[in-house]
Amino acid sequence: MPLQELTSRTAVIEAVGRCDIIGPETLVHDSKVGPVRDYLLEFEGKLYHAKTVADVAYGIQHPDRPPLPADAFKGDAAVRSLERLDFTIAATAKLWPPDLGVEYPNRTIIRNAFGGNWVPGIAKFPGDDIVNVFSDEDGPYADEAPDPVKPFEYRGEGRAGDQQLTRGNKMLDQARQERRAVRYWYRPAGGTFKFVTWVAILSRAQVWSPDDTKKLRLEYTFQVAAVPSPEPNTWPSQVTDLIDDGEIEDTPPPRPVPQNAVSKQLPKTYLEYVKPFGDTPKACRKGRGPNKGNRNLYPRSRRARDAVLVRAADQCENDGCTGMPADTTPSGAAILEVDHVDDLALNGPDHPGVMIALCPNCHAAKTRGRTRAALKRHFRARAAKLHQQAMQAHQG
Ligand SMILES: [Zn+2]
């Protein structure tokens, strides 16, 4: 911290004589410390840019040393070194606070005028106790326009993951508890940032909302209402009556069912079941089929089996069936077995168009009966026909 070595009050007074006097209309641009005029040194009734004075004074006190690098002025290092030497420091935002209705083309110009870190949507100007919220219709949250009469919502800060009651969100919540007014800045799409109104913070809540990565997370919302001035005694009773300045426990609402979970729900119709398989069965490509050493490698499709059961609608699909079991499964469904007409282990494709739902009798006849070869041919044609009919029934 080289500015700690600025220890000469005389050097500072000499530096003041070399620096420009600052007035409310003067936009300071110092090539080293930047355009920010956040803190000013008050000396003999005049104001000077504190960082520039500190820079010049350091050079006067230490003429043999190289000039200070720009990062020596980060934060309030210059302010602290001048205060240690009993100089009076004033914050620009306190001397010349933004007037209600003032407009700036963008956030950078606001930073140039008052200083501070302008990434967050909720911030205080350096040396100022008043919280500012910046609502940008073009921003990541597409905030609504502030309502001059009714309470409206401001979404807390934090772009990814659950929002925390820290930093800006904590500042806003403190303003709620202490009933302190907040400057509400708003920029309509393509417009300029305007200090549109003072607001009182009425309450806060949590909502589920997708973040930048479309992942559902908890956000804070602050209910705010426009007030005529920062003085609470000017606030109308319909606003003060709504202020909840007590402790608020975070009680997240029930997590909504995410969209992709909905699409994971079971399909309803045969057509929906069959969709991923394509309309017609294709022969298995070489290499994807079973190998003799390990039959279980073949990915048997539960979905294809379920599709066939939907198509069968609790009836054996053998048109020559001699009778289904009188009993049902414990859940009340017909006792049916889904058969790959051509044995899957012999490269039969996994597609409902080559599968058939059979009652245990018909299934046994197909696998062990004397007529099994003829049944296989018959079921191959039958499965294809039932598949075609089911597809056409849905499409027509
Ligand atoms: Zn049968």
Side-chain angles (χ1 to χ4, degrees):
M1 298 295 272
L3 270 171
Q4 285 182 335
E5 287 161 41
L6 174 60
T7 53
S8 164
R9 192 176 155 87
T10 317
V12 174
I13 292 168
E14 195 184 330
V16 162
R18 297 190 198 173
C19 291
D20 296 330
I21 297 165
I22 306 291
E25 305 309 320
T26 321
L27 182 69
V28 174
H29 188 102
D30 185 300
S31 58
K32 184 187 284 181
V33 301
V36 179
R37 58 173 195 182
D38 43 5
Y39 288 104
L40 300 174
L41 170 72
E42 210 178 329
F43 187 68
E44 294 183 340
K46 297 189 178 72
L47 295 160
Y48 304 85
H49 190 211
K51 288 180 181 177
T52 311
V53 170
D55 189 25
V56 173
Y58 181 88
I60 292 169
Q61 187 182 350
H62 304 289
D64 308 333
R65 296 191 193 170
L68 287 172
D71 63 7
F73 296 90
K74 277 197 177 147
D76 55 1
V79 168
R80 276 186 276 113
S81 68
L82 293 169
E83 281 178 336
R84 273 196 301 272
L85 295 171
D86 285 331
F87 287 97
T88 304
I89 300 294
T92 308
K94 278 216 156 159
L95 281 173
W96 305 302
D99 293 321
L100 190 61
V102 70
E103 284 180 63
Y104 293 89
N106 54 51
R107 294 280 295 271
T108 308
I109 308 288
I110 300 175
R111 183 186 62 197
N112 291 351
F114 302 104
N117 171 12
W118 293 104
V119 180
I122 305 166
K124 287 180 183 176
F125 297 126
D128 188 25
D129 303 326
I130 294 168
V131 179
N132 298 270
V133 301
F134 291 86
S135 174
D136 188 348
E137 202 185 7
D138 284 337
Y141 298 142
D143 291 313
E144 286 173 15
D147 193 304
V149 182
K150 293 196 301 270
F152 57 100
E153 263 190 4
Y154 179 76
R155 208 50 73 91
E157 72 179 23
R159 301 268 300 266
D162 286 350
Q163 288 185 350
Q164 308 296 320
L165 205 58
T166 55
R167 296 194 291 272
N169 296 334
K170 190 179 179 182
M171 283 193 256
L172 265 194
D173 202 52
Q174 278 171 350
R176 171 185 70 81
Q177 292 183 318
E178 294 163 11
R179 293 181 174 241
R180 284 194 289 121
V182 166
R183 290 190 196 99
Y184 201 93
W185 300 74
Y186 180 67
R187 188 175 90 98
T192 58
F193 263 111
K194 185 177 179 181
F195 170 21
V196 284
T197 183
W198 290 98
V199 292
I201 314 295
L202 307 181
S203 187
R204 76 166 153 81
Q206 285 182 300
V207 292
W208 290 100
S209 184
D211 69 6
D212 280 4
T213 64
K214 304 270 189 285
K215 238 179 102 183
L216 213 57
R217 53 77 175 264
L218 280 169
E219 286 178 355
Y220 281 105
T221 67
F222 293 89
Q223 196 188 28
V224 306
V227 288
S229 86
E231 304 304 325
N233 57 16
T234 68
W235 298 358
S237 63
Q238 59 263 41
V239 170
T240 51
D241 288 351
L242 291 173
I243 296 177
D244 176 358
D245 59 8
E247 283 290 326
I248 295 178
E249 278 202 25
D250 284 330
T251 45
R255 192 188 177 90
V257 179
Q259 279 303 305
N260 55 1
V262 171
S263 66
K264 270 179 197 159
Q265 282 175 0
L266 285 181
K268 300 275 189 293
T269 67
Y270 185 67
L271 194 67
E272 287 168 5
Y273 269 106
V274 170
K275 213 170 184 179
F277 300 100
D279 284 359
T280 50
K282 294 180 195 73
C284 256
R285 272 183 289 141
K286 266 197 170 156
R288 285 200 57 222
N291 73 48
K292 278 181 179 169
N294 191 350
R295 294 169 55 119
N296 294 333
L297 278 179
Y298 199 88
R300 283 178 184 268
S301 168
R302 167 78 196 236
R303 189 188 179 99
R305 182 183 163 277
D306 291 346
V308 175
L309 288 172
V310 164
R311 185 185 69 199
D314 280 352
Q315 286 294 317
C316 175
E317 287 186 314
N318 177 11
D319 48 352
C321 180
T322 55
M324 291 180 55
D327 205 354
T328 65
T329 67
S331 61
I335 298 175
L336 289 172
E337 292 160 8
V338 176
D339 183 66
H340 283 78
V341 177
D342 296 291
D343 191 348
L344 199 58
L346 299 173
N347 264 7
D350 204 5
H351 189 285
V354 291
M355 294 157 72
I356 192 164
L358 299 171
C359 72
N361 277 337
C362 296
H363 197 204
K366 190 242 178 192
T367 44
R368 305 202 295 277
R370 184 173 50 80
T371 60
R372 61 183 185 274
L375 278 176
K376 196 181 213 173
R377 282 194 300 277
H378 178 65
F379 288 156
R380 196 181 292 137
R382 177 88 182 137
K385 189 180 168 193
L386 290 169
H387 170 69
Q388 287 299 328
Q389 284 174 349
M391 295 292 282
Q392 278 159 9
H394 285 298
Q395 279 159 348

